[in-house]
Amino acid sequence: MGRSNAVQSREIFEILESEILSLRLKPGEVLSENALCERFGVSRSPIRSVLQELRLCGLVTVEPYRGTYVTRMDLDIINQIIYQRVAVETFVLEDFCRCCDELEMQRLHYLNQQMQESTAQDSFDAEKFYKIDGQFHEIWFTSTRKKYLWECIQRSDQHYTRFRMLDIVRLGKQSYAEIAGEHAELLRAIEARDTASFRPLMKKHLFGGVTRLGSLLLGDLRDYFTSEMP
C-alpha cells in the first residue's frame, strides 16, 4: 500500500524547506509544479499542499498567472531582526553571567574550538558551521530558562536565517574566520564578566554579515532581495 498524501506532503515540505533555508533553492527561483511532481514522483495534489504550506511560512510567493517562486529576502525585516536580537541577547548574556556554571563554559569552549577548527579546513560545510553558530547562542538562552524566547527567534527569522547562510556560503573562509573570532571575543567577555562589552560585541557580531557582504547587496546579490538596507 502506498504512503498517504499527508506523509508524502510532510516529507516533501521538509526537503523543500531545508533547501530554501540553506539557499540550495535561491531567492527568486521559480518552483514549477510539473517539475516538482516529476522530481518527487507524486501527483499535483500533495505538491499544491506543500506549496501552500510554504507560502504560509513566507518561504514561497504565489503570483496568479505568473507562477510560484522562492520568496526574496527583505533587508528591512533583516535589519529589524538584528536590532531585536542585539537588544535581547545583550540582556540574556547579562543574566547568563550571573548563573552560568563550569559545564556550560566548557560547552561554549568546545563549540568555539569546533568553529576555530572549521576555519583551518580547506573544505567548508556551511550548514554544519551554521548549526554550531546557533548552538553557541542557544546555550545562554537555555541556561537562563529562556528557551521559549530562543525558539520564537528561530521561528520568526526565515529572512535572517537565509541572510546568515548567504554570508557563510558566499564569502566562505572570510566569514568563518570572522564569526569564529567574534565568538572568541564574546567568550572572553563572558569569562571576565565584562558586561559593558556585551552590547558592542553583540552588535558587531550580529550585523557582521551586513558589513561583510557590503556592496554585494546592491550588486551581484541584488536580485535576492526585495528592498535595500535602511
Side-chain angles (χ1 to χ4, degrees):
M1 182 180 295
R3 293 176 301 166
S4 69
N5 281 351
V7 172
Q8 290 178 324
S9 296
R10 175 47 47 184
E11 291 176 352
I12 296 169
F13 172 84
E14 289 175 354
I15 290 170
L16 293 178
E17 179 189 40
S18 174
E19 290 179 349
I20 291 170
L21 292 177
S22 65
L23 298 180
R24 293 195 295 275
L25 285 173
K26 295 177 173 52
E29 186 169 340
V30 174
L31 295 176
S32 161
E33 282 190 13
N34 289 337
L36 290 173
C37 289
E38 183 175 348
R39 173 185 173 184
F40 293 106
V42 296
S43 66
R44 287 182 178 272
S45 179
I47 292 299
R48 286 176 175 168
S49 175
V50 167
L51 293 177
Q52 174 67 2
E53 189 172 357
L54 289 170
R55 185 189 68 80
L56 293 173
C57 293
L59 293 173
V60 305
T61 300
V62 179
E63 292 191 359
Y65 309 111
R66 296 187 62 182
T68 301
Y69 57 89
V70 178
T71 301
R72 290 179 170 85
M73 291 178 278
D74 189 317
L75 280 170
D76 183 42
I77 292 175
I78 291 166
N79 182 61
Q80 293 181 55
I81 290 170
I82 297 173
Y83 185 93
Q84 177 193 51
R85 286 195 61 173
V86 170
V88 169
E89 293 205 46
T90 297
F91 283 118
V92 173
L93 268 182
E94 290 174 355
D95 290 345
F96 179 70
C97 272
R98 290 191 285 267
C99 69
C100 62
D101 58 28
E102 182 61 29
L103 179 59
E104 288 164 333
M105 294 306 299
Q106 288 177 4
R107 289 177 62 204
L108 287 174
H109 276 287
Y110 172 72
L111 291 170
N112 182 59
Q113 182 181 355
Q114 283 191 304
M115 297 193 86
Q116 296 289 349
E117 290 173 351
S118 295
T119 67
Q121 297 173 359
D122 293 329
S123 60
F124 303 113
D125 186 335
E127 292 182 53
K128 180 181 178 181
F129 188 89
Y130 180 92
K131 182 178 180 180
I132 297 172
D133 184 8
Q135 290 172 335
F136 191 88
H137 289 253
E138 185 178 4
I139 287 174
W140 47 74
F141 281 85
T142 302
S143 176
T144 57
R145 300 181 66 182
K146 295 179 176 63
K147 187 67 178 292
Y148 173 77
L149 182 56
W150 173 251
E151 290 172 350
C152 287
I153 290 172
Q154 296 305 295
R155 286 196 299 269
S156 67
D157 73 349
Q158 58 96 352
H159 290 275
Y160 187 49
T161 295
R162 291 188 292 160
F163 185 80
R164 288 170 59 204
M165 185 62 72
L166 178 62
D167 175 26
I168 296 169
V169 170
R170 183 61 185 250
L171 299 181
K173 195 165 188 175
Q174 177 189 347
S175 291
Y176 276 53
E178 291 189 16
I179 293 170
E182 289 157 6
H183 277 199
E185 287 182 302
L186 283 165
L187 186 50
R188 286 192 292 270
I190 293 169
E191 290 182 314
R193 301 302 192 265
D194 182 10
T195 57
S197 69
F198 288 167
R199 182 177 177 83
L201 285 176
M202 194 59 70
K203 186 174 181 180
K204 174 186 175 184
H205 179 51
L206 295 175
F207 276 103
V210 177
T211 303
R212 282 185 292 272
L213 291 171
S215 61
L216 290 174
L217 300 177
L218 302 176
D220 292 352
L221 302 176
R222 186 168 187 165
D223 289 344
Y224 284 8
F225 300 93
T226 61
S227 63
E228 298 179 2
M229 183 69 78

